[in-house]
Amino acid sequence: MRFEIRALAIRALAPIALAGLCASAWSDSTQVKIANHRSAAIYVSFSNAEQGAGTISWGQGCLKPGVTAKASYARVKPGTTCVANVASTNGSSRFCAAAKAPPSNCWEAQANHLTMVETNFEPASAPGCFGGGSCVWYDVSVIPSTCTDEAWRRDQCQGQGGASYNLPVSLSCEGSPAMPTYTCRGPKTTKYGSQMYPSNCGNPYGTCAVGTSPNGHPCEDGVAAYFFPMFTPPENAYQPNAVCIARTLAIDFVSGK
């Protein structure tokens, strides 16, 4: 994620070995609902900051949960929702998905051209939760693997590895007050350069982030996902990430290309 990552204690734990887990590990946690609106089943994987399986409990609608050395995963049938619980100790982390097999490491999503759902789970005590309870920051990233701000300005990251995109996704925070919804859809085209970025994924040339309200006016034709890192100004002032505090993060894998 492009915003400041705060130091957190992170533990890797196989999600299917929770019987001996102390209940206190879940005292600070966030519910995540992963909906599959597609016509076929998908495999959703989760990797924490240490490129491990992380502390995640796959619940209702999450089929055949398993773990690899660098991710935990579950299968989600079409038209169903998988409800998971993610401990705030996971910190900076990623979800990714694929149709035929569970991705083995979501930190390798760029090399494998997978859409990245970037998350940062924080405990209620963290400054980033603003005293409102445990929280998660969220965004969508389709950045090519070696893309930089300079390369984007030069030629839209031509030759930088290709867009990190395979499935359309929409992120939102359930409940009130309303938080930004970031939706990124294909098809992949040359609309934003040669790297085959998804063509319906916000406006990477926008001067505000979708859902924000600069000067009191909602931003509609703005940035909805990271096409490039956005570390430097002026782009770093309107990065498309938001925080979901004491509520449920919804990850919707929508229909389409």
Side-chain angles (χ1 to χ4, degrees):
M1 306 184 80
R2 250 48 55 186
F3 52 82
E4 180 183 358
I5 301 300
R6 300 163 184 85
L8 294 171
I10 301 172
R11 292 181 299 141
L13 181 70
I16 56 176
L18 298 175
L21 181 64
C22 177
S24 63
W26 300 106
S27 60
D28 259 332
S29 62
T30 296
Q31 186 179 80
V32 178
K33 290 183 179 178
I34 305 165
N36 179 9
H37 299 283
R38 305 182 63 75
S39 60
I42 58 173
Y43 292 89
V44 179
S45 294
F46 173 77
S47 299
N48 69 5
E50 294 181 333
Q51 297 192 43
T55 308
I56 181 170
S57 174
W58 300 102
Q60 181 179 357
C62 310
L63 305 180
K64 299 181 178 180
V67 62
T68 68
K70 297 183 179 181
S72 57
Y73 62 85
R75 184 173 180 265
V76 187
K77 293 173 61 177
T80 67
T81 298
C82 161
V83 181
N85 202 51
V86 183
S88 62
T89 49
N90 285 284
S92 179
S93 46
R94 287 180 178 176
F95 287 90
C96 58
K100 295 183 179 180
S104 60
N105 181 2
C106 288
W107 289 94
E108 295 176 350
Q110 287 170 293
N112 295 316
H113 302 104
L114 305 179
T115 309
M116 294 180 286
V117 174
E118 299 185 310
T119 48
N120 190 29
F121 293 92
E122 300 193 350
S125 59
C129 295
F130 306 102
S134 55
C135 67
V136 55
W137 289 80
Y138 60 95
D139 70 73
V140 181
S141 174
V142 295
I143 302 173
S145 58
T146 58
C147 178
T148 63
D149 291 351
E150 180 182 18
W152 170 263
R153 293 190 182 99
R154 182 179 64 244
D155 55 18
Q156 291 74 49
C157 292
Q158 181 176 337
Q160 301 299 311
S164 182
Y165 180 82
N166 69 323
L167 294 173
V169 70
S170 182
L171 305 183
S172 60
C173 179
E174 293 188 350
S176 180
M179 293 299 292
T181 295
Y182 302 127
T183 301
C184 185
R185 295 176 181 263
K188 295 183 284 186
T189 70
T190 57
K191 179 179 180 180
Y192 297 114
S194 65
Q195 297 303 280
M196 302 303 291
Y197 288 103
S199 56
N200 297 289
C201 191
N203 177 11
Y205 300 111
T207 56
C208 60
V210 169
T212 60
S213 301
N215 302 317
H217 301 288
C219 175
E220 296 179 356
D221 183 30
V223 184
Y226 286 97
F227 280 59
F228 58 101
M230 298 182 72
F231 279 127
T232 54
E235 290 88 355
N236 66 345
Y238 42 85
Q239 297 183 30
N241 61 69
V243 63
C244 190
I245 304 174
R247 287 183 282 152
T248 297
L249 174 65
I251 303 175
D252 295 334
F253 287 95
V254 296
S255 60
K257 296 181 179 181

